[in-house]
Amino acid sequence: MSMMKRISLIFQSKANKALDRAEDPRETLDYSYQRQLDLLSKVRRGVADVATSRKRIELQVNQLEQQSQKLSDQAQKAISMNREDLAREALTRKSGLTGQITDLKAQHAQLQGEEEKLTLAQQRLQAKVEAFRTRKETIKANYTAAEAQTKIGEAMSGIGEEMGDVGMAIQRAEDKTANMQARAGAIDELIASGALDDASSLNRGDDISRELESMSSQADVEAELAALKGLSQPSQPQAIEGGDILSPEAQKATENREGQA
């Protein structure tokens, strides 16, 4: 195989592959159906033309037959008037018309036969076109369903072009989120271990000072809370002897002793 033949074969194979990829079977079927409709329309016009010619010949035959009858009447009238010459002339013209009528009837029969053939061909072609249309719509519906099923399968499996991009975007987002979470956890551990300082506590001394300050603050809160509780209790009206506060039971015993005395 020569170099040119190989180049031509490669070019043809690539062009055929590109055309096959760009071809939509539904559009091709619609185009074929439209061409068949055009052909059927031409056949119908042909049938109409033949029928028109046949009808025109019928009209001519009728006119010639009327003229022939008129010449026959004239010939008969000429005989009755002893004008044989006129009768002969009328019959001669009638003979010419009879020949024309015979030829026209032969053409009429031929056209009628052609019209019947074309009508039968038109009916057969119309039936084929209708059958093609039904099959075309069935094939288109099956192709559309198969195409939709393929797209759904590609979307669910993630092998489609669009869903492939979406899957890659989701994978990148998950990777970035995992990295961010790992970084946040590492920073928390470093801050807890003291390896890193909390930026919000840079002006509050070292970690020991902050711990002592926190304990002091908690002690102040507890003391203030105890003081508030003491103020909220009701005052005790019991007498105070020697600076001691008697309990209610001791106060009752003292009152009993004073009554017995």
Side-chain angles (χ1 to χ4, degrees), residues 19-236:
L19 291 174
D20 185 66
R21 184 178 301 174
E23 181 186 14
D24 189 344
R26 293 167 294 190
E27 296 177 353
T28 304
L29 290 174
D30 288 338
Y31 179 72
S32 299
Y33 178 67
Q34 186 62 41
R35 293 191 62 183
Q36 291 186 16
L37 289 179
D38 294 340
L39 179 60
L40 180 61
S41 179
K42 290 181 180 178
V43 173
R44 287 175 176 171
R45 285 198 296 270
V47 174
D49 292 341
V50 172
T52 302
S53 299
R54 176 182 56 78
K55 192 65 178 178
R56 188 182 298 115
I57 289 177
E58 287 180 1
L59 294 175
Q60 290 179 356
V61 168
N62 290 333
Q63 290 177 356
L64 292 177
E65 286 179 347
Q66 290 176 1
Q67 292 179 5
S68 178
Q69 183 62 36
K70 183 178 179 180
L71 289 172
S72 179
D73 294 339
Q74 288 177 349
Q76 188 175 1
K77 188 176 181 180
I79 290 297
S80 64
M81 296 176 66
N82 295 323
R83 291 294 305 271
E84 185 177 350
D85 55 339
L86 291 178
R88 188 182 302 278
E89 179 64 23
L91 292 177
T92 301
R93 293 180 182 180
K94 179 183 176 183
S95 177
L97 292 178
T98 303
Q100 294 181 13
I101 291 172
T102 302
D103 294 339
L104 288 176
K105 284 185 177 181
Q107 294 179 13
H108 179 270
Q110 184 180 0
L111 288 176
Q112 192 170 10
E114 293 294 333
E115 182 181 354
E116 292 176 355
K117 290 180 181 178
L118 287 176
T119 302
L120 183 60
Q122 174 195 342
Q123 293 174 352
R124 291 178 178 176
L125 180 59
Q126 185 171 0
K128 289 184 177 180
V129 171
E130 290 296 328
F132 179 79
R133 186 182 68 84
T134 303
R135 188 175 181 183
K136 171 181 74 72
E137 296 298 330
T138 303
I139 294 174
K140 287 174 61 178
N142 292 332
Y143 182 83
T144 303
E147 186 181 36
Q149 188 175 1
T150 302
K151 290 183 178 179
I152 292 172
E154 290 178 351
M156 294 181 64
S157 61
I159 61 176
E161 184 176 356
E162 295 180 357
M163 293 305 297
D165 295 339
V166 173
M168 293 177 63
I170 292 174
Q171 184 64 38
R172 289 195 299 270
E174 290 179 349
D175 293 341
K176 289 184 177 179
T177 302
N179 291 333
M180 191 63 69
Q181 290 175 347
R183 184 177 180 84
I187 291 173
D188 289 342
E189 291 180 357
L190 292 174
I191 291 175
S193 64
L196 292 178
D197 293 331
D198 188 356
S200 61
S201 304
L202 290 176
N203 296 326
R204 296 175 57 187
D206 54 9
D207 54 345
I208 297 175
S209 299
R210 291 194 296 271
E211 185 68 19
L212 293 174
E213 185 179 353
S214 176
M215 293 175 62
S216 176
S217 177
Q218 292 179 0
D220 293 341
V221 171
E222 293 297 335
E224 188 175 357
L225 180 62
L228 290 176
K229 288 181 179 179
L231 291 176
S232 62
Q233 290 180 355
S235 60
Q236 300 296 330

Side-chain angles (χ1 to χ4, degrees), residues 238-241 244-258:
Q238 289 76 10
I240 300 175
E241 293 181 357
D244 298 333
I245 300 176
L246 297 178
S247 62
E249 291 77 7
Q251 184 179 359
K252 187 176 181 179
T254 303
E255 291 175 354
N256 292 335
R257 286 196 301 268
E258 290 177 354

